[in-house]
Amino acid sequence: MTETVYTVALAGNPNVGKSTLFNALTGLNQHTGNWAGKTVDVARGRFSHRGAEYRLIDLPGMCSMKSDSAEEKLARDFIAFEPIDAAVVVADATSLERGIRLTLEVMEATPRVLLCVNLMDEAAKKGIRVNIPKLHEKLGIPVVPMSANRKKGIREFKDALRAVIALPDPSADAPLPETLLYDTETENALMYLQPYLAKAPGLNTRFAAICLLEGSDSAAETMAEKALVEKGRYDEHIRNALAALETSTCGFERRVARQNIEKSASICRDCVRAPRSYTDGDRRVDRILSSKVFGLPILLLLFGFLFWLTAAGANYPSQLLMQLFTYLEGELSALLTSLGAPEALRALLAEGAFRTTGWVVAVMLPPMAIFFPLFTLLEDVGFLPRLAFNVDRCFRRSQSCGKQALTMCMGIGCNACGVTGCRIIESRRERACAIVTNAFMPCNGRFPILIALLSMFLASSGLVSALWMLGFLLLAAAMTLLCTFLLSRTLWKNEPPSAFLLELPPYRVPQIGRVLVRSLLDRTLLVLRRAVCVALPAGVLIWLLANAGDGEALRALTGFFDPIGRFFGLDGVILTAFLLALPANELVMPLLLLIYADLSSLTDLSSLEAFRTLLIANGWTAMTALSVCLLVLFHSPCATTLLTIRRETGSTAQTLLAVAVPSAVGLCFCLLLRAVGLLF
């Protein structure tokens, strides 16, 4: 007998334990996939209960159904327009008011709603008591208390969800609940618009009318306008009515937001009892972390420790992986020989494709596997919103917002993930600028090159090298702000800015197990998969260039770039190495060795001193090394990042811009350095 399958949307504010509940319900019966036609990854899972199967969709965290970010728009439209059987709103018992506010908005969009008050154990530790029966009475929907991290309340949740889905389907034209009634002018406008939208297939007429009145850029508005046009009633009269509502002194959106805020506050006053001191600890910490004097230095030191831990901790695993891939390369070579493969094919596959791919994986995987979990732990603890708050003033002067600081920090781990993180920025202009300039921040793949060049030419000790690295990071941050300002005033000057609204979450102990699993699966392996897809063909190309005509093809390429390189204080080998290292920045040093030493395949460095001797023999000076360091800092993103930019933006022009801007900055610095060298 086939089980009945119900679709349930799981919504909630960020950091309320929504994913913990999802994991507790679905266990291993889940997967993460891309939203159809979009760039947002969502988790899907299944669980069974009393003869029925439930398909659970873990939506991106959302602060409001009225938000403008891409992820929150998609979550909102999924709740309002997808054929779901119920919506579950997960709220934080220690900060219940914002969860109730989101619940009121979800109730506008879909009839069957279940409120899950999570983190009841944390609320009890802080002395917070939530009157669940009274909360159910005030909202008129089922309310379930639980502690998902301890799997308390799971059975009650399943029973309540079953009961919600069994409720009769209300009419689409039924009046709003008493708690959601608007003023007379707005309610009359809703009643006027609804008849013209009623026959649009799959359209929640009341929510579509609300989106029309707001003038929000969403699927709701698009569908509503289409329905009105098809019925021939989207005439000047309706346009004028909507315009009048939008330009009124107290606009529709502000009235609705104010009403929901007042209603949620009133419900919390009636249903929640909390000691006045329950937030004292958080406030004491925030007086330090959010202060103008100590806040930013402390957070920068914290991130500096994170970066140091990533760089130091990744060395040994990288060496082990390199040894493993060297062993596997020998086994693959022996296998191809035993199968009778021609020597050229054996070398192409083993020394070209496999060696390059192994090199990329060995260098990229350990830093990402360390950085992303640590970064996610800081997010779970509540530090990252404080960082965005502290630096917002600097970014606001550059026509951006503090959220770009978070994407820059992610870019230091991996620029591809930094680009993906730009989804949190609502404004199209600010998001585009953040994507284009993210490559200014040196990723983990560039740190080994910088450290090696500093050690060989510019730094006499580890302390001097650390100071150089700090200077490079500050220069990268300054150029990010400057280019963001210039792009905002030129290419995207007509795009509206975002309103930077930030609700600081409470500090809490992170869930280490969930963080490790989700950061590794959702970020590390995703980026690594794209890197491998790029490294395989690149390895074949590098081997062919190094061996075609006994290396003549590669020498011709370096000869072509040599005059250009000399003009910028470099040479043709350096430009060729950066060009062929497009799959991964880590390939620059091996490519320099391959070309200068006239080798036939990528080879590991025997020692820095031997490599320094080879570079000096080919005309390198301290000025050349500094120029290369600047080019390492500012040059085209790797191919993995470019693929991510193309996927996130859907724009080839913006992807090419992400190549041109940092490359132009790097070459300008090299030209300036050459001019200074010639002058002195």
Side-chain angles (χ1 to χ4, degrees):
M1 181 177 178
T2 305
E3 289 184 331
T4 305
V5 179
Y6 298 109
T7 300
V8 179
L10 192 61
N13 299 130
N15 302 314
V16 295
K18 181 167 57 68
S19 296
T20 305
L21 173 60
F22 174 80
N23 292 331
L25 290 169
T26 60
L28 297 177
N29 299 315
Q30 57 179 260
H31 69 280
T32 300
N34 187 250
W35 201 307
K38 302 293 181 182
T39 59
V40 178
D41 292 326
V42 293
R44 299 175 175 86
R46 289 175 177 265
F47 70 93
S48 298
H49 180 62
R50 295 191 179 182
E53 185 171 345
Y54 298 85
R55 188 168 68 100
L56 201 60
I57 311 297
D58 187 9
L59 299 176
M62 56 193 303
C63 293
S64 169
M65 292 280 283
K66 312 294 191 297
S67 297
D68 292 328
S69 71
E71 292 189 343
E72 290 179 304
K73 282 182 181 179
L74 288 170
R76 173 186 67 195
D77 290 342
F78 187 91
I79 292 173
F81 306 114
E82 292 294 326
I84 62 173
D85 296 288
V88 175
V89 179
V90 183
D92 182 355
T94 65
S95 182
L96 191 56
E97 185 176 337
R98 59 179 183 150
I100 293 176
R101 197 181 312 149
L102 178 62
T103 303
L104 293 174
E105 294 176 355
V106 171
M107 290 167 63
E108 297 173 1
T110 187
R112 298 190 183 96
V113 181
L114 169 63
L115 174 60
C116 169
V117 182
N118 193 26
L119 302 173
M120 291 293 290
D121 52 340
E122 289 192 18
K125 291 178 183 178
K126 294 183 177 183
I128 301 173
R129 292 178 297 170
V130 181
N131 189 330
I132 299 296
K134 197 167 187 178
L135 188 58
H136 162 67
E137 177 186 343
K138 290 286 183 179
L139 289 173
I141 60 172
V143 181
V144 179
M146 67 188 316
S147 299
N149 57 336
R150 298 185 179 183
K151 296 188 177 180
K152 291 184 178 180
I154 297 294
R155 180 175 298 178
E156 292 80 0
F157 171 85
K158 291 179 178 179
D159 291 339
L161 181 60
R162 177 186 176 90
V164 168
I165 293 177
L167 293 174
D169 186 18
S171 168
D173 293 325
L176 290 173
E178 184 179 352
T179 58
L180 297 174
L181 287 177
Y182 308 116
D183 55 63
T184 305
E185 179 188 10
T186 303
E187 190 62 25
N188 288 339
L190 286 172
M191 294 176 63
Y192 177 79
L193 288 170
Q194 275 190 268
Y196 305 115
L197 306 175
K199 294 186 178 180
L203 184 63
N204 181 317
T205 60
R206 182 168 291 272
F207 192 70
I210 289 172
C211 289
L212 264 177
L213 291 172
E214 286 180 0
S216 60
D217 179 20
S218 69
E221 183 182 13
T222 302
M223 294 172 69
E225 287 186 354
K226 182 179 178 182
L228 288 172
V229 170
E230 287 177 353
K231 295 184 71 65
R233 295 308 301 264
Y234 196 46
D235 52 23
E236 199 64 27
H237 176 69
I238 294 178
R239 291 182 189 275
N240 292 337
L242 297 179
L245 283 171
E246 282 298 307
T247 57
S248 62
T249 306
C250 183
F252 174 82
E253 185 175 1
R254 281 179 291 175
R255 286 200 300 271
V256 174
R258 185 180 61 197
Q259 184 181 12
N260 282 338
I261 290 172
E262 292 172 354
K263 187 64 182 178
S264 59
S266 173
I267 292 175
C268 278
R269 283 194 298 269
D270 292 340
C271 303
V272 180
R273 292 290 178 267
R276 292 184 177 181
S277 61
Y278 84 98
T279 59
D280 286 353
D282 287 0
R283 289 177 179 175
R284 280 194 294 267
V285 176
D286 275 339
R287 286 193 192 102
I288 300 174
L289 291 183
S290 300
S291 71
K292 295 181 180 180
V293 178
F294 301 108
L296 190 56
I298 290 175
L299 288 171
L300 289 178
L301 285 174
L302 181 63
F303 272 93
F305 175 72
L306 186 151
F307 300 145
W308 172 83
L309 196 62
T310 300
N315 290 331
Y316 185 63
S318 290
Q319 293 174 4
L320 291 180
L321 282 175
M322 191 69 75
Q323 294 172 6
L324 173 63
F325 282 112
T326 301
Y327 169 77
L328 293 176
E329 181 189 327
E331 295 296 312
L332 175 62
S333 182
L335 176 62
L336 292 172
T337 301
S338 66
L339 294 176
E343 176 61 22
L345 179 61
R346 182 206 64 78
L348 176 67
L349 295 178
E351 299 174 10
F354 187 84
R355 183 177 297 179
T356 305
T357 304
W359 201 299
V360 171
V361 172
V363 178
M364 286 186 68
L365 180 57
M368 288 193 297
I370 295 173
F371 181 81
F372 291 143
L374 291 176
F375 190 84
T376 308
L377 284 174
L378 288 180
E379 183 179 12
D380 270 18
V381 169
F383 280 131
L384 293 189
R386 273 80 183 175
L387 174 65
F389 173 80
N390 284 327
V391 300
D392 179 60
R393 183 177 302 174
C394 298
F395 282 89
R396 184 57 57 188
R397 292 175 179 174
S398 299
Q399 306 295 307
S400 184
C401 70
K403 291 182 180 179
Q404 187 174 349
L406 305 182
T407 67
M408 289 167 62
C409 292
M410 294 179 68
I412 294 177
C414 174
N415 291 131
C417 282
V419 169
T420 304
C422 293
R423 297 171 184 171
I424 64 175
I425 302 175
E426 289 85 359
S427 166
R428 179 182 177 274
R429 181 194 74 193
E430 294 164 10
R431 185 167 59 250
C433 292
I435 288 173
V436 170
T437 59
N438 192 266
F440 284 161
M441 302 307 296
C443 65
N444 273 312
R446 290 185 253 178
F447 281 119
I449 313 171
L450 292 171
I451 293 171
L453 292 176
L454 289 172
S455 301
M456 289 188 289
F457 289 95
L458 300 170
S460 57
S461 66
L463 178 60
V464 177
S465 180
L467 292 175
W468 271 103
M469 289 297 297
L470 178 61
F472 283 147
L473 285 175
L474 292 176
L475 177 61
M479 291 308 301
T480 300
L481 292 173
L482 176 60
C483 288
T484 298
F485 177 79
L486 294 176
L487 290 170
S488 298
R489 289 299 183 92
T490 54
L491 294 180
W492 289 292
K493 62 181 179 180
N494 294 323
E495 294 289 338
S498 65
F500 183 52
L501 301 176
L502 183 65
E503 185 172 358
L504 297 180
Y507 295 101
R508 61 166 56 99
V509 177
Q511 300 171 28
I512 297 177
R514 181 183 65 84
V515 166
L516 290 175
V517 172
R518 294 304 291 268
S519 60
L520 288 174
L521 294 179
D522 294 351
R523 293 180 176 177
T524 304
L525 295 184
L526 175 67
V527 175
L528 194 63
R529 183 186 65 194
R530 296 178 189 169
V532 169
C533 292
V534 174
L536 276 170
V540 172
L541 175 62
I542 292 171
W543 188 91
L544 289 174
L545 287 173
N547 290 271
D550 198 22
E552 286 298 325
L554 194 55
R555 282 190 285 273
L557 188 61
T558 57
F560 173 79
F561 284 117
D562 196 64
I564 304 173
R566 298 290 177 186
F567 176 75
F568 290 101
L570 308 167
D571 62 25
V573 174
I574 296 171
L575 293 185
T576 302
F578 274 94
L579 178 65
L580 295 180
L582 183 66
N585 296 298
E586 297 83 359
L587 297 176
V588 170
M589 298 263 298
L591 281 165
L592 288 174
L593 176 62
L594 179 146
I595 302 172
Y596 280 134
D598 200 20
L599 302 175
S600 60
S601 60
L602 293 177
T603 305
D604 198 1
L605 309 177
S606 56
S607 70
L608 285 181
E609 185 58 36
F611 189 52
R612 179 177 182 273
T613 302
L614 176 64
L615 294 178
I616 292 175
N618 283 274
W620 276 51
T621 64
M623 194 67 74
T624 309
L626 183 56
S627 296
V628 174
C629 284
L630 289 170
L631 199 59
V632 169
L633 201 61
F634 304 115
H635 72 281
S636 169
C638 68
T640 306
T641 304
L642 292 177
L643 288 176
T644 304
I645 293 173
R646 180 65 180 83
R647 180 172 175 265
E648 291 292 315
T649 63
S651 169
T652 302
Q654 196 164 325
T655 306
L656 294 176
L657 186 66
V659 174
V661 171
S663 300
V665 170
L667 291 175
C668 286
F669 269 115
C670 291
L671 190 59
L672 178 63
L673 193 61
R674 179 174 181 247
V676 172
L678 292 175
L679 182 63
F680 292 99

